[in-house]
Amino acid sequence: MDNNNNKQINSKITTNSGSAVGHYEDSQTVGQRGPVLLQDYFLHEKLAQFNRERIPERIVHAKGTGAYGKFVVTHDITSYTRAKLFSKIGKETDMFVRFSTVGGERGSADSERDPRGFALKFYTEDGNWDLVGNNTPVFFIKDAKKFPDFIHTQKRDPQTNLKSPTMVWDFWSLNPESLHQVLILMSDRGTPNGFQHMHGFGSHTFSMVNTNNEWTYVKFHYKTQQGIKNLTGNEALAMRGSDPDFGQKMLIDAIAAGNFPRYTFSIQVMTQEQAKTFRWNPFDLTKVWSQKEYPLIEVGYIELNKIPSNYFAEVEQAAFAPANLVDGIGFSPDKMLQGRILSYPDAQRYRIGTNYQSLPVNACPFMTNNYHRDGAMRFDGNSGGAPNYFPNSFDGNFEDPAAKGQPYELDSNIVAYFDRNANDNDHYTQPGDLFDNVMDAQAKANTIKNIVGAMSGIEGPKREEIIMRQLCHWFRASVPLGMGIAQGLQIDMEKLKALMPQR
């Protein structure tokens, strides 16, 4: 994708309407020291444009960096999907990738302890496919209805306008479903050393369908070929002061030097029958699928090889939405995914405008054809004099029956508000396995140190209650983890013992 603008050099300066500008740097006044005249319309245009240079920043993932690249197929998965970008080995698809932090503002540091957004946009001949994931395979919550509350705790206290460990840990301790993601966040994986040195995940469960209309569930993984590198808590803290934009700088410098970052793209596959008997809810975003039971199937690789020519136009205005799928890839009953189908496009329409998908970085480079019309900043001709309704007797446009998707049965036809944790309240086994069986001794020590440091910021009259409640969750996941945190916080063990749930 080439998004260089068409501005002329060695040419006269004009207003936005194309009129020549006769004097650029001085306002028109009555006399040398006199008041400025209202008729200096270029002054007004400059100031009005300047006042509107900023669009609303993203509520989440506000700080980010991006790059163009390509996806190359190296292995055949046509037995699982008919999506054209996977149709043959060697096929290349243009891409745009945006990395980000989740909770901070646009000016926040790249080394904050935070999940990292890892969003992929594939410009395919069947339309744009957005795979909007993170650098972790799970998330803090499993139902989108809880998302605004969760994000509020990660932002600023409404009274003090300061970040609040008390809000953060109060929410997490009251929602043990967050424990798996919190443990990953509190490990050194919560402070990756640059975007080239972290894995990415689609996180949600999606579906695939092949040319025989056979259907499976999938999870997407994109693993760094540069090797995992993380910062310790102290290193991340120092980096915030010395080079808050180090992640963006590393990415730009690597691409400029021709050291193009690559990520191996793989899938996990689960059949519909396996989904019915899986130990946990396979659509629960707080859980992973064991790679021993559902091994990674390599598909291809992502290569980032071009720096955007203008940050605002191509990174800040880049808009991703899990609703953007292509034939051969589908949704699943994942409650968080279902909520994002609505919320992400809605956020982009608010932030950039209803025609945001016509912007060059977001536009499908192949044909689009529909009856959407009008709205602010419609700059693509608005389909000229073509009909704006369907069906009609003039244009011959038609629907594609193959794009309807596959019929499927739901577990129930009962409509109700179902408890998201009913029959799915094991929030402890997977994080316990992660700490006890995956982390080495140094990773365990660093994780405990990071948790102790984070929980030490809890304050106020509910401090002890919040700490004790969260400690009970840590102990349920792993006794060594709970003991290490309790000792680091200098907790009265007899008092804690009285509060611990009886097994």
Side-chain angles (χ1 to χ4, degrees), residues 170-416:
D170 187 38
F171 182 88
W172 286 343
S173 68
L174 289 167
N175 291 276
E177 68 197 76
S178 68
L179 200 70
H180 196 175
Q181 174 73 308
V182 173
L183 181 62
I184 295 173
L185 178 64
M186 290 296 150
S187 74
D188 289 342
R189 288 171 64 185
T191 48
N193 190 355
F195 304 119
Q196 299 99 298
H197 297 291
M198 66 183 195
H199 293 335
F201 305 86
S203 301
H204 296 290
T205 299
F206 292 87
S207 58
M208 281 184 166
V209 61
N210 63 18
T211 53
N212 297 322
N213 292 327
E214 295 166 335
W215 215 61
T216 52
Y217 293 116
V218 296
K219 283 185 178 287
F220 297 102
H221 301 246
Y222 15 111
K223 296 200 170 186
T224 176
Q225 294 185 8
Q226 291 70 240
I228 289 285
K229 291 183 182 179
N230 296 315
L231 301 171
T232 66
N234 289 337
E235 289 170 340
L237 182 62
M239 188 67 79
R240 284 168 221 163
S242 64
D243 191 357
D245 301 319
F246 87 101
Q248 179 161 335
K249 186 175 186 299
M250 282 178 64
L251 183 67
I252 290 173
D253 288 350
I255 295 175
N259 300 320
F260 300 147
R262 284 189 174 186
Y263 306 83
T264 301
F265 190 91
S266 303
I267 59 173
Q268 286 178 289
V269 176
M270 181 183 290
T271 68
Q272 295 180 59
E273 290 304 312
Q274 288 173 322
K276 293 176 182 177
T277 58
F278 188 55
R279 177 179 177 184
W280 292 285
N281 176 359
F283 315 115
D284 181 347
L285 187 54
T286 67
K287 304 291 194 302
V288 297
W289 298 356
S290 167
Q291 292 183 26
K292 293 180 180 178
E293 297 178 61
Y294 303 93
L296 293 181
I297 300 170
E298 189 171 337
V299 181
Y301 66 86
I302 295 164
E303 177 185 280
L304 303 182
N305 52 33
K306 182 187 174 189
I307 303 165
S309 59
N310 184 273
Y311 179 87
F312 178 84
E314 299 165 73
V315 181
E316 187 63 16
Q317 290 194 131
F320 299 83
N324 293 340
L325 296 181
V326 293
D327 182 46
I329 303 170
F331 300 120
S332 82
D334 181 333
K335 291 183 179 181
M336 277 294 292
L337 174 59
Q338 293 283 327
R340 293 176 81 200
I341 294 169
L342 163 69
S343 65
Y344 272 61
D346 183 58
Q348 306 299 0
R349 294 182 189 107
Y350 157 73
R351 195 175 68 89
I352 310 173
T354 189
N355 292 307
Y356 73 92
Q357 292 189 92
S358 296
L359 292 167
V361 70
N362 300 320
C364 174
F366 301 92
M367 185 190 74
T368 60
N369 185 31
N370 55 50
Y371 298 91
H372 304 334
R373 297 291 189 273
D374 306 344
M377 299 301 290
R378 189 82 197 207
F379 52 85
D380 59 357
N382 204 29
S383 297
N388 61 355
Y389 60 94
F390 179 85
N392 65 73
S393 304
F394 306 100
D395 60 22
N397 291 338
F398 58 91
E399 302 154 310
D400 181 3
K404 283 184 177 179
Q406 292 304 112
Y408 61 94
E409 293 183 5
L410 299 175
D411 289 340
S412 168
N413 58 5
I414 299 173
V415 176

Side-chain angles (χ1 to χ4, degrees), residues 35-54:
V36 175
L37 292 176
L38 186 63
Q39 70 184 31
D40 190 348
Y41 58 88
F42 187 60
L43 165 67
H44 302 148
E45 182 177 286
K46 281 185 69 177
L47 294 181
Q49 182 80 25
F50 178 75
N51 287 344
R52 291 160 177 80
E53 282 184 358
R54 300 292 178 265

Side-chain angles (χ1 to χ4, degrees), residues 26 36 41 57 60 79-80 94 98-99 109 122 151-152 170 173 201 208 280 303 315 388 390 446 453 500:
D26 302 297
V36 175
Y41 58 88
E57 73 173 30
V60 289
S79 61
Y80 300 115
D94 288 338
R98 185 177 185 271
F99 303 101
F122 300 82
I151 292 300
H152 285 168
D170 187 38
S173 68
F201 305 86
M208 281 184 166
W280 292 285
E303 177 185 280
V315 181
N388 61 355
F390 179 85
N446 289 355
M500 286 292 290

Side-chain angles (χ1 to χ4, degrees), residues 25 33 55 57-58 120 129 147 166 192 222 241 244 315 336 406 434 439 443:
E25 296 185 76
R33 297 185 178 182
I55 59 178
E57 73 173 30
R58 292 167 168 87
L120 315 178
W129 174 34
F147 190 73
T166 305
Y222 15 111
V315 181
M336 277 294 292
Q406 292 304 112
L434 174 60
M439 292 185 182

